[in-house]
């Protein structure tokens, strides 16, 4: 069988040398019999899994020490493309020596990274990443059989990106924590959508329940509603006592200003606040990389004032000391 027979000549250069080696000379292809498992003093676990996307299927064999729950040996049989063979082979190798609970933590990203020649270069093209998902799912199936529990009990979070195994909760949290505004930001922070791209928007490789464009829109709308609600609930800034003004101002700085400074290794502290007629003077001191930075006197100072004007009152003046 030639290279073109395995994955197509036009795509060949997008596959790593390790993928080629595992496809043509798999190390763990085969089965473990009941007799072999018994000779090792182990319990035999056999799990089957199929991928609806491409029609691939895998059967995973584990020999597990019942006293330690450690996987002594692993083998597999697979019916699928070359990527599925290579991924299954590495998956079986990664399982050996781990406990069942440790093996469940192996993801298809771990499998893909193990197949790389260069740590910074993907082992397979993005459109074939879904083939390695099978390796992750069959591990969960084997673990559920060994533990005699339903497979859903092992992972009950909703998966948005099958390729990178990124959950809905993770994506929502990352959008909020980092104030993400674009799908590209989500991909950069989580790797969701970086591979087959089916989860970015409808019309991709396979239909999904959740799409990044919809999640981003919904979370941003929620964040805006929460922001408007907070503004309504806070009484007029000008009517507050100086102590109340300081508390509200610190809250705005924590939510709207400091995260941006911290990303660049900086920060700020409010050293004093004074009321000067109708104007409130806020004296700040920069910390970390912001301290002594020329842009801190102009650009950053202006940005802070704009945020405080928008969130609290236009009569606030920021003074750097």
């Amino acid at each position: 069988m030639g290279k073109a027979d395995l994955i197509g000549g036009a795509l060949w250069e997008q596959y790593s040398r390790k993928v080629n080696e595992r496809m043509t000379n798999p190390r763990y292809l085969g089965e473990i019999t009941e007799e072999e498992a018994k000779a090792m003093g182990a319990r035999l676990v056999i799990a089957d899994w199929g991928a609806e996307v491409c029609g691939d299927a895998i059967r995973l064999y584990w020999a597990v020490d019942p006293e330690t729950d450690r996987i002594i040996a692993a083998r597999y049989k697979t019916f699928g493309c070359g990527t599925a063979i290579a991924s299954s082979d590495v998956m079986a190798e990664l399982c050996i020596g781990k406990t069942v609970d440790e093996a469940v933590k192996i993801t298809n990203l771990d499998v893909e990274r193990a197949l790389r020649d260069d740590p910074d270069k993907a082992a397979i093209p993005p459109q074939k990443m879904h083939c390695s998902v099978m390796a992750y799912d069959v591990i969960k199936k084997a673990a559920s059989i060994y533990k005699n529990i339903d497979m859903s009990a092992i992972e009950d979070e909703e998966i948005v990106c099958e390729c990178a195994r990124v959950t809905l909760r993770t994506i929502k949290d990352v959008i909020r924590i980092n104030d993400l505004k674009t799908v590209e930001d989500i991909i950069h922070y989580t790797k969701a959508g970086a591979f087959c791209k089916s989860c970015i928007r409808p019309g991709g490789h396979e239909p999904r329940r959740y799409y990044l464009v919809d999640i981003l829109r919904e979370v941003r709308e929620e964040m805006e509603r929460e922001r408007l609600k907070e503004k309504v609930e806070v009484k007029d800034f000008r009517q507050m006592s100086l102590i109340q003004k300081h508390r509200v101002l610190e809250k705005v700085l924590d939510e709207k200003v400091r995260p941006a400074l911290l990303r660049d290794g900086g920060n700020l502290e409010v050293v004093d606040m004074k009321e000067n007629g109708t104007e409130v003077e806020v004296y700040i001191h920069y910390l970390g990389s912001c301290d002594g930075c020329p842009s801190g006197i102009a650009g950053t100072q202006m940005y802070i004032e704009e945020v405080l004007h928008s969130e609290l009152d236009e009569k606030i003046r920021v003074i750097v000391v």
Side-chain angles (χ1 to χ4, degrees), residues 74-91:
R75 296 285 187 274
Y76 70 94
K77 288 184 177 180
T78 188
F79 303 93
C81 64
T83 305
I85 295 171
S87 298
S88 299
D89 205 63
V90 167
M91 175 272 297

Side-chain angles (χ1 to χ4, degrees), residues 24-251:
T24 55
N25 297 292
R27 304 172 190 177
Y28 298 93
L29 183 62
E31 63 181 48
I32 301 173
T33 66
E34 195 72 59
E35 291 74 19
E36 289 171 333
K38 187 178 294 184
M40 290 183 273
R43 174 185 165 187
L44 178 63
V45 177
I46 302 175
D48 295 323
W49 191 261
E52 295 180 4
V53 178
C54 52
D56 293 349
I58 183 173
R59 172 167 288 178
L60 176 63
Y61 298 83
W62 275 352
V64 184
D65 182 345
E67 294 186 2
T68 64
D69 296 335
R70 197 165 296 280
I71 302 165
I72 301 172
R75 296 285 187 274
Y76 70 94
K77 288 184 177 180
T78 188
F79 303 93
C81 64
T83 305
I85 295 171
S87 298
S88 299
D89 205 63
V90 167
M91 175 272 297
E93 182 177 271
L94 292 175
C95 287
I96 298 172
K98 291 182 172 61
T99 65
V100 171
D101 286 339
E102 290 170 343
V104 168
K105 297 177 182 178
I106 297 170
T107 70
N108 58 309
L109 289 183
D110 295 323
V111 172
E112 189 273 331
R113 290 190 189 100
L115 285 167
R116 294 185 180 188
D117 297 331
D118 181 341
D120 298 320
K121 184 178 180 181
I124 56 179
Q127 64 268 30
K128 298 294 290 183
M129 189 65 183
H130 69 274
C131 296
S132 66
V133 174
M134 219 172 36
Y136 174 82
D137 287 326
V138 78
I139 288 176
K140 290 194 299 178
K141 182 65 175 179
S144 70
I145 293 172
Y146 181 76
K147 292 173 172 286
N148 194 28
I149 59 176
D150 190 85
M151 188 172 166
S152 62
I154 295 176
E155 182 177 54
D156 56 4
E157 290 192 74
E158 185 72 41
I159 297 293
V160 172
C161 178
E162 291 286 352
C163 294
R165 306 306 295 182
V166 185
T167 67
L168 178 62
R169 184 172 63 182
T170 294
I171 293 172
K172 287 185 173 182
D173 287 347
V174 169
I175 292 171
R176 285 179 171 277
I177 293 170
N178 299 284
D179 193 24
L180 304 188
K181 296 180 175 63
T182 68
V183 168
E184 289 71 25
D185 289 338
I186 298 174
I187 296 171
H188 174 72
Y189 274 82
T190 70
K191 301 306 178 187
F195 301 99
C196 81
K197 305 186 186 306
S198 294
C199 62
I200 295 179
R201 57 181 55 84
H205 183 75
E206 58 175 308
R208 305 292 303 158
R209 180 180 177 184
Y210 297 99
Y211 294 97
L212 299 186
V213 290
D214 297 327
I215 298 170
L216 177 63
R217 184 188 67 254
E218 291 170 5
V219 173
R220 295 298 309 182
E221 289 175 353
E222 289 174 3
M223 292 170 67
E224 180 62 16
R225 285 195 296 270
E226 291 166 3
R227 187 185 72 83
L228 292 174
K229 183 179 179 181
E230 287 179 359
K231 290 190 70 173
V232 170
E233 289 178 347
V234 175
K235 66 179 182 178
D236 190 343
F237 183 77
R238 299 182 190 183
Q239 302 302 315
M240 295 179 183
S241 68
L242 191 59
I243 294 177
Q244 289 174 326
K245 288 177 180 177
H246 183 265
R247 288 174 180 169
V248 172
L249 183 135
E250 283 285 2
K251 185 175 185 294

Side-chain angles (χ1 to χ4, degrees), residues 249-264 266-270 303:
L249 183 135
E250 283 285 2
K251 185 175 185 294
V252 172
L253 292 176
D254 283 341
E255 294 178 354
K256 306 292 183 179
V257 176
R258 287 194 174 98
L261 301 182
L262 289 168
R263 281 197 292 271
D264 293 326
N267 204 340
L268 67 83
E269 62 177 344
V270 177
Y303 166 71

